[in-house]
Amino acid sequence: MDRQTVQRTREAFLSGRTRPLEFRLQQLHALKRMINEKETEISTALKQDINRSQYDTPLLELIGIENEIKLAIDKLAVWAAPRPVERNLLTISDEVYIQPEPLGVVLIIGAWNYPWALTLVPLIGAIAAGNAAVVKPSELSEYSSLLLRALLPRYLDKDLYPVVTGGVSETQELLRLRFDHVFYTGSSTVGKLVMEAAARHLTPVTLELGGKSPCYIDKNCDIRTACRRITWGKFVNCGQTCIAPDFILCEPCIQGQVVECIRQTLLEFYGADPKCSPDYGRIVNQRHFNRVIGLMEGYTPVVGGQSDASQCYIAPTVLKDVPPQSRMMQEEIFGPLLPIVTVSDMDDAIHFINEREKPLALYIFCSDKKASKKMIGETTSGGVTVNDVMMHYTLSSLPFGGVGQSGMGRYHGKHTFDQLSHQRACLIRSLGMESVNLARYPPQDRRRARRVRMALRSPLIDMSKRTFIWAVTATIIGFGLFISLLVILLIASGLNCTCWYWRGFYNYFY
Amino acid sequence: MKRSPCLAPPFKIQERNLPKLELLRMSREQQAVACARKAFETGRSKSLEHRIRQLKNLKRLFAERQQEISDASKKDLNKSEAGTQLFETVGLEGEINLVIRKLKEWAAPRKVEKNLLIISDTVYIKPEPLGVVLIIGAWNYPWAVTIQPLVGAIAAGNAVVIKPSEVCVHTAKVMEELLPLYIDKELYPVVSGGVPETQELLRQRFDHIFYTGNSVVGKLIMEAAAKHLTPVTLELGGKSPCYIDKDCDISIACRRVTWGKYTNCGQTCIAPDYILCEPSIQDRVIEEVKKSIKDFYTENPKTCPDYGRIINQRHFKRIMAMVDDSTVAAGGDNDESDCYIAPTVLRDVKPEAKVMQEEIFGPLLPILPVSGLDEAIKFINKREKPLALYVFTANDKVIQKMVDETSSGGLLANDCIVHFSVSSLPFGGVGNSGMGCYHGKFSFDQMSHLRGCLIKQLKMEGMNSMRYPPHTMEKLGWVRFFLLRNLDLSSMGKMALLAALAVMAAVLFKMYLL
């Protein structure tokens, strides 16, 4: 069944109808309409999946998706156009450019924590790049995936962008088929399996995985504001965000203050009983609920800790003095538990971070610019936000992606377009000027080799129009200035003839 | 498995503080990788001065050791001295010069467009080293395809484990001897060996693997890399088609095709694999190719110093087996003891012929007659995406149609191979011909992690209240307002400048002319 769907998608792609930009723009406009018209249905589905509040849905997903669509529509002509590049002496009279091209059929495997954003943002890039796409939303966000399967064919070309639902076995079946790119968002364990499956067909992959994103709070900073921001980032979507601050690193002297500030902020955000707050989410299912509760075992939280299995509810929880070898520190929490691990200073924090796998995000709260720069310089991570959390995700011009165990490849904005295109190198020469080529033909000798050497070692020349215009303008201005300088000097030296000339000129007009 | 004396404890915590006994049990490959990782963790590969120094040393290697390099190439592939320079070392020199000149610019933080929400913050992309890169070279242009990625890897600040191809026996030996004499031997160890040694290397964990070779092994490499979630760049091959339009200067076209095809005895990943042309020009094409062969390699290519040999007996047999079911129009003679195959042209080849089933990688040039451009495009699209596509025509519309209706790693109109030497073009395959690209800045970017950095301040907390719970419709309205698409600050700046100039002009006009 899936095989036939993918076959039909490939045939639709080979028909060539995704190539014209008008078609791609039309599909993007249709997608925008879907997001705008069906916001209520999408919110309802998310409430049923993960108890997402009606405000969090547009805030966290739909506005971002709309933003991406607007950007793609606005910039598509620029992104898809041939990109001229610098030439060298050998190619000085040739046309040299990079032509972005569609890859073919892209498989997008979404995740359940932000089912719409993590499925549709890659889809936007796939459509913009001229690909066909098979969309496989996560079965854990059941209502959202069924809604997507119902809605997408009503707005987009249903042969080019089919939605395939199902669980693990359906996904495995899909991964046996051949695609031109696989875009996966999820866990590292499954990421390895996806890459292995893709290897059999030599399919390139983009893997947006996770990890434990550290959050370092310097003792000399506005701790109150820092904790407000961290609290928001941690407990939004009930901690089920790939770039949520996973754990805090701080010095023991400020630990108490951090805990207090978080406690106060939680009161402000979710009230005395977060269970009753419409803005506080739930864990997606029983299995994850049990997993997160299990991480807390043996530790007494200083804030929160209550839970209700029937509702998959876990209160916003903070734990202090957590030892690095605890279970909580061995895997990504992906839940509303915020452990605080104490370190002796920034260098200790850097050492701690570098001992572990490269995280998807790194957060640094520090007022000292030099110190933040040092931390950035001595660590690595997918992305960094200093003095806030998660915001680097919202800027389309920054490439969003992981490194090492947190993933490979990147997307958002133009980066999605580039990731899902083939950048084809094009060199258009002419059949003339054959004499230039003589040096490379056999019989080879030293003299010829020297000539070739000269040509191949020449620096790249920027023949773009802009440089040319600048060069011409600069020459004219330079010349103009030189002439005016001469004239001024002549006037200043008081040559009679010049004076006469100018006086006459003046008299003529006035 | 040899024991390497390179290492000394203590290791970093990631190596789990191995006791001395375990260290001795580590294979040579494991030790080289551990050594490189330890050296990388000292941080010395990161400074720009270090990277430039290493690159300058590499350049010295090619300046000082040209003779040894050429001698080894002659023994492996019967490459002439000038041929080695032309195809391998000169290109490398150009690449190293480019990198040295541009490194500061490439490694610096890169500005990006902002949106209203973060207009007062600092945003940039910071290129960072990945860690330990594995480069697996190939045997056909051993220096070019092993050292060029090495240049990019060093420039990006990585440590590199270099595994030259064992098939080019003499060159591999020269690489193993010379590289440690010029570049840091802990950061950039050379590990030689055959299939079992490569498999052992692939069991280790790297931060990037760069492989040049064939698709079959490419799949195995990617599968091995998947176990550690290691990103890969695969420079593979395929059958690069060459379409000759009847509307073009056939004599010049054939000269260029002949050069591209028979250089290195056809053992080039981007050699024109086969020709597609209309039946009416087939005879002329064969004539011209024969003429060019005679010009380049004399009547007896076997005695010509510029004509190469097949790398070994196995490949010789593989190529000769392909000739069976096709008609030889030129060449065809061979000598197994010398691994010599004459420059050969095959005519009226059918798509089902043996020579059309796999990449030839040898001096056989099949010509397949097609009825025109459309049939050629259909033929190309039915097959795997090639590494390169060549089209010879005087008609721009034909070229545009080829660009629009086919796909390939790269496309070159009216010449062969030379797109490899343009550092500003990304060189790489698509589909079965590979993934990722390199050359020039692309090598640097491919072997770096481009880290998105957003530096905010702890002020202006009021702005953030629109995202905090408890949520209201009003707050949401503000979010919608601020998350407009990115502002084009440069065009706003230009408009502001224009406005200022207009005001100044108006003022001057008013003051002096009225």
Side-chain angles (χ1 to χ4, degrees):
Chain A
M1 178 55 180
D2 285 349
R3 194 176 286 269
Q4 285 174 348
T5 310
V6 177
Q7 182 60 28
R8 211 169 33 237
T9 309
R10 188 164 289 285
E11 279 160 19
F13 172 74
L14 290 170
S15 72
R17 60 182 189 270
T18 58
R19 289 241 178 203
L21 296 190
E22 297 75 39
F23 176 83
R24 305 182 204 180
L25 287 169
Q26 179 210 52
Q27 296 295 304
L28 290 171
H29 277 293
L31 197 59
K32 191 154 90 109
R33 257 197 354 259
M34 183 184 96
I35 298 292
N36 290 334
E37 289 171 11
K38 301 294 178 180
E39 188 175 322
T40 323
E41 283 94 325
I42 295 174
S43 289
T44 314
L46 278 166
K47 186 141 187 78
Q48 289 171 300
D49 281 325
I50 205 171
N51 201 44
R52 182 82 71 70
S53 85
Q54 63 162 148
Y55 298 105
D56 263 339
T57 293
L59 176 64
L60 302 172
E61 297 208 61
L62 302 182
I63 294 177
I65 297 173
E66 202 179 321
N67 212 16
E68 287 277 329
I69 298 177
K70 272 210 194 119
L71 181 67
I73 290 175
D74 206 38
K75 297 278 189 172
L76 186 58
V78 172
W79 293 352
R83 306 172 188 183
V85 297
E86 288 183 6
R87 287 176 253 190
N88 58 21
L89 257 183
L90 210 64
T91 50
I92 201 161
S93 58
D94 305 322
E95 253 181 84
V96 197
Y97 59 91
I98 299 173
Q99 175 66 55
E101 293 187 336
L103 287 169
V105 181
V106 176
L107 172 63
I108 298 173
I109 303 178
W112 52 260
N113 54 340
Y114 294 90
W116 296 85
L118 299 176
T119 321
L120 294 182
V121 174
L123 179 61
I124 293 165
I127 297 175
N131 298 298
V134 174
V135 180
K136 161 71 185 65
S138 168
E139 71 282 12
L140 288 187
S141 49
E142 206 190 321
Y143 294 92
S144 294
S145 88
L146 290 173
L147 182 60
L148 188 66
R149 192 177 69 180
L151 286 183
L152 216 61
R154 277 194 247 160
Y155 288 84
L156 302 184
D157 185 315
K158 61 181 181 299
D159 287 327
L160 282 169
Y161 315 110
V163 180
V164 174
T165 50
V168 174
S169 52
E170 281 82 3
T171 313
Q172 283 173 332
E173 191 56 45
L174 262 182
L175 286 169
R176 274 191 268 275
L177 304 173
R178 183 174 177 184
F179 293 94
D180 299 289
H181 194 100
V182 176
F183 194 112
Y184 169 75
T185 308
S187 75
S188 308
T189 321
V190 179
K192 290 182 186 172
L193 301 173
V194 170
M195 190 173 171
E196 251 176 88
R200 294 194 190 98
H201 296 291
L202 281 175
T203 301
V205 296
T206 303
L207 304 174
E208 297 281 327
L209 310 174
K212 294 183 76 62
S213 300
C215 180
Y216 173 72
I217 308 179
D218 190 55
K219 66 174 189 269
N220 298 320
C221 78
D222 177 358
I223 297 188
R224 181 131 211 311
T225 309
C227 290
R228 254 172 99 80
R229 298 178 180 189
I230 295 171
T231 308
W232 170 72
K234 176 65 182 187
F235 299 108
V236 82
N237 211 33
C238 210
Q240 296 162 119
T241 310
C242 46
I243 40 170
D246 192 275
F247 62 94
I248 290 179
L249 291 169
C250 68
E251 290 181 43
C253 52
I254 56 163
Q255 197 179 195
Q257 206 185 344
V258 167
V259 170
E260 255 328 290
C261 291
I262 296 178
R263 192 202 305 274
Q264 279 175 21
T265 313
L266 282 171
L267 205 61
E268 195 192 317
F269 288 175
Y270 304 114
D273 186 9
K275 205 172 176 184
C276 308
S277 164
D279 297 319
Y280 189 70
R282 298 288 182 267
I283 304 296
V284 69
N285 65 18
Q286 203 64 45
R287 182 170 72 85
H288 279 278
F289 174 87
N290 293 337
R291 182 187 63 82
V292 177
I293 294 283
L295 291 176
M296 251 201 307
E297 228 171 81
Y299 295 97
T300 315
V302 288
V303 176
Q306 306 90 347
S307 62
D308 178 354
S310 63
Q311 273 193 43
C312 285
Y313 164 79
I314 302 178
T317 304
V318 182
L319 304 103
K320 62 185 234 181
D321 291 314
V322 176
Q325 5 18 327
S326 62
R327 248 190 81 193
M328 213 178 328
M329 293 303 294
Q330 302 314 313
E331 59 176 85
E332 188 177 359
I333 295 171
F334 227 66
L337 309 183
L338 182 51
I340 305 179
V341 177
T342 52
V343 285
S344 51
D345 56 17
M346 186 182 252
D347 285 318
D348 194 20
I350 292 175
H351 186 71
F352 188 96
I353 294 167
N354 286 340
E355 277 177 355
R356 287 163 175 71
E357 293 296 346
K358 297 174 185 177
L360 186 52
L362 173 63
Y363 301 113
I364 305 169
F365 285 85
C366 181
S367 323
D368 181 357
K369 276 198 181 138
K370 271 213 185 89
S372 321
K373 216 164 162 201
K374 176 173 184 251
M375 199 162 197
I376 296 177
E378 293 183 20
T379 57
T380 187
S381 62
V384 180
T385 298
V386 174
N387 291 328
D388 207 337
V389 294
M390 312 205 309
M391 294 308 284
H392 63 289
Y393 182 91
T394 62
L395 190 56
S396 318
S397 52
L398 277 181
F400 181 79
V403 63
Q405 294 291 297
S406 52
M408 57 180 80
R410 50 192 177 262
Y411 73 129
H412 281 186
K414 182 169 184 254
H415 303 287
T416 327
F417 180 93
D418 286 345
Q419 188 81 38
L420 299 176
S421 302
H422 169 52
Q423 312 287 330
R424 189 185 197 184
C426 296
L427 173 55
I428 317 294
R429 313 201 79 192
S430 79
L431 281 165
M433 309 236 299
E434 181 63 356
S435 50
V436 177
N437 282 342
L438 288 177
R440 75 191 195 198
Y441 295 143
Q444 230 87 57
D445 59 28
R446 291 208 166 177
R447 198 162 42 94
R448 278 192 176 178
R450 236 203 314 272
R451 254 199 279 156
V452 172
R453 191 198 197 88
M454 226 178 58
L456 282 179
R457 283 168 78 192
S458 74
L460 292 173
I461 298 165
D462 187 357
M463 294 285 286
S464 65
K465 221 191 230 161
R466 209 169 39 158
T467 319
F468 182 71
I469 292 175
W470 178 89
V472 169
T473 320
T475 316
I476 293 176
I477 293 177
F479 229 106
L481 284 172
F482 180 64
I483 304 252
S484 10
L485 181 67
L486 275 179
V487 169
I488 291 171
L489 282 175
L490 283 170
I491 297 175
S493 69
L495 276 173
N496 280 333
C497 57
T498 327
C499 268
W500 263 111
Y501 178 82
W502 283 111
R503 207 178 289 160
F505 183 85
Y506 194 80
N507 284 334
Y508 181 76
F509 273 103
Y510 300 102
Chain B
M1 309 234 197
K2 294 201 305 240
R3 300 255 152 82
S4 163
C6 150
L7 300 171
F11 292 135
K12 272 222 79 181
I13 198 170
Q14 276 169 329
E15 320 302 333
R16 305 279 189 269
N17 276 320
L18 295 163
K20 270 210 170 105
L21 200 61
E22 267 217 46
L23 165 61
L24 291 174
R25 280 207 217 104
M26 278 169 99
S27 63
R28 182 185 65 126
E29 290 75 23
Q30 275 178 308
Q31 288 184 3
V33 178
C35 188
R37 192 165 288 287
K38 183 158 172 271
F40 175 75
E41 276 157 8
T42 63
R44 68 176 188 271
S45 64
K46 295 189 188 173
S47 83
L48 293 190
E49 294 79 35
H50 168 93
R51 304 182 205 183
I52 292 181
R53 204 173 42 240
Q54 298 297 309
L55 292 171
K56 286 195 170 146
N57 287 346
L58 253 187
K59 212 164 85 147
R60 249 180 343 114
L61 191 163
F62 291 106
E64 294 172 6
R65 303 297 189 135
Q66 193 57 50
Q67 196 55 50
E68 284 147 273
I69 293 172
S70 298
D71 290 339
S73 289
K74 188 141 188 78
K75 288 192 201 136
D76 283 325
L77 283 158
N78 199 43
K79 272 195 223 195
S80 66
E81 188 183 329
T84 301
Q85 280 198 28
L86 175 60
F87 290 105
E88 299 220 61
T89 50
V90 174
L92 278 177
E93 263 183 77
E95 184 89 352
I96 297 177
N97 285 340
L98 174 69
V99 174
I100 290 177
R101 209 171 59 240
K102 294 274 194 173
L103 186 58
K104 197 150 167 235
E105 187 191 314
W106 294 351
R110 303 173 188 184
K111 281 198 164 14
V112 296
E113 281 185 16
K114 298 190 198 185
N115 65 20
L116 258 182
L117 210 61
I118 45 123
I119 200 159
S120 58
D121 305 319
T122 313
V123 202
Y124 56 89
I125 297 173
K126 179 166 179 285
E128 295 183 346
L130 288 168
V132 182
V133 176
L134 171 64
I135 295 177
I136 302 178
W139 52 260
N140 55 342
Y141 294 91
W143 293 93
V145 306
T146 318
I147 307 297
Q148 205 159 59
L150 175 64
V151 169
I154 295 178
N158 299 297
V160 188
V161 174
I162 305 155
K163 162 73 186 69
S165 168
E166 72 283 9
V167 180
C168 50
V169 174
H170 302 93
T171 307
K173 199 144 161 285
V174 168
M175 267 191 208
E176 205 184 350
E177 279 169 17
L178 291 185
L179 280 171
L181 296 177
Y182 287 82
I183 53 178
D184 189 317
K185 60 177 180 294
E186 280 173 9
L187 277 171
Y188 317 113
V190 180
V191 176
S192 55
V195 171
E197 284 80 9
T198 311
Q199 285 172 333
E200 177 64 17
L201 264 181
L202 287 169
R203 278 189 273 272
Q204 312 313 314
R205 183 173 173 184
F206 292 95
D207 299 289
H208 194 98
I209 297 181
F210 193 108
Y211 168 72
T212 309
N214 67 60
S215 311
V216 171
V217 179
K219 289 181 185 173
L220 300 173
I221 302 238
M222 190 171 168
E223 254 176 84
K227 299 199 170 68
H228 294 292
L229 281 174
T230 301
V232 297
T233 305
L234 304 175
E235 297 280 327
L236 310 175
K239 294 182 77 60
S240 300
C242 181
Y243 175 71
I244 304 183
D245 195 34
K246 66 176 191 280
D247 168 28
C248 82
D249 185 339
I250 298 193
S251 148
I252 295 186
C254 290
R255 238 169 122 74
R256 299 180 179 186
V257 170
T258 308
W259 173 72
K261 178 68 182 187
Y262 300 109
T263 297
N264 206 28
C265 212
Q267 297 163 119
T268 310
C269 47
I270 40 172
D273 192 273
Y274 60 95
I275 291 180
L276 293 167
C277 68
E278 288 184 36
S280 53
I281 55 165
Q282 192 182 196
D283 289 318
R284 177 93 197 281
V285 166
I286 294 173
E287 267 319 301
E288 294 292 343
V289 171
K290 271 162 91 166
K291 201 153 125 248
S292 297
I293 292 174
K294 188 153 144 259
D295 283 341
F296 294 165
Y297 306 115
T298 74
E299 291 281 356
N300 189 4
K302 198 170 181 193
T303 54
C304 176
D306 293 317
Y307 190 67
R309 295 292 183 269
I310 304 301
I311 183 80
N312 61 24
Q313 296 263 333
R314 183 170 74 84
H315 279 278
F316 176 91
K317 290 197 173 90
R318 177 186 66 82
I319 298 167
M320 286 318 296
M322 289 188 213
V323 188
D324 290 352
D325 53 357
S326 301
T327 320
V328 175
D333 26 290
N334 58 84
D335 178 358
E336 189 166 339
S337 61
D338 197 15
C339 285
Y340 164 78
I341 302 178
T344 304
V345 181
L346 304 165
R347 65 175 295 148
D348 292 312
V349 176
K350 304 241 172 348
E352 316 78 52
K354 280 192 206 158
V355 73
M356 291 303 294
Q357 302 316 312
E358 59 172 271
E359 187 177 1
I360 297 168
F361 227 67
L364 309 180
L365 182 54
I367 305 181
L368 279 85
V370 287
S371 57
L373 179 63
D374 286 319
E375 197 193 326
I377 291 179
K378 253 205 350 235
F379 186 93
I380 293 168
N381 285 341
K382 267 215 288 267
R383 287 163 174 68
E384 293 295 346
K385 296 179 188 175
L387 185 52
L389 177 62
Y390 300 110
V391 51
F392 285 85
T393 177
N395 184 348
D396 282 340
K397 286 210 178 68
V398 168
I399 298 176
Q400 196 57 51
K401 198 160 186 237
M402 265 301 191
V403 172
D404 292 337
E405 297 184 19
T406 61
S407 184
S408 62
L411 179 140
L412 178 40
N414 294 324
D415 208 338
C416 287
I417 299 185
V418 294
H419 63 297
F420 187 91
S421 67
V422 182
S423 315
S424 52
L425 280 177
F427 182 80
V430 64
N432 258 32
S433 51
M435 56 180 82
C437 59
Y438 74 126
H439 283 186
K441 183 166 183 248
F442 297 101
S443 305
F444 179 92
D445 284 352
Q446 186 87 158
M447 314 254 210
S448 301
H449 169 53
L450 300 175
R451 189 185 193 188
C453 299
L454 171 57
I455 320 293
K456 303 192 78 180
Q457 292 174 27
L458 282 165
K459 306 189 286 214
M460 306 240 294
E461 181 61 359
M463 282 283 285
N464 280 343
S465 61
M466 59 184 162
R467 76 190 193 202
Y468 296 147
H471 294 305
T472 63
M473 279 310 289
E474 194 197 335
K475 280 188 183 179
L476 202 56
W478 279 112
V479 174
R480 269 190 224 273
F481 175 75
F482 277 101
L483 278 184
L484 286 173
R485 63 185 185 346
N486 295 333
L487 284 177
D488 194 355
L489 286 174
S490 61
S491 78
M492 281 178 81
K494 279 184 203 141
M495 285 208 296
L497 189 64
L498 203 61
L501 280 172
V503 165
M504 209 164 70
V507 166
L508 286 171
F509 190 76
K510 189 166 190 290
M511 276 172 61
Y512 292 109
L513 288 166
L514 289 177

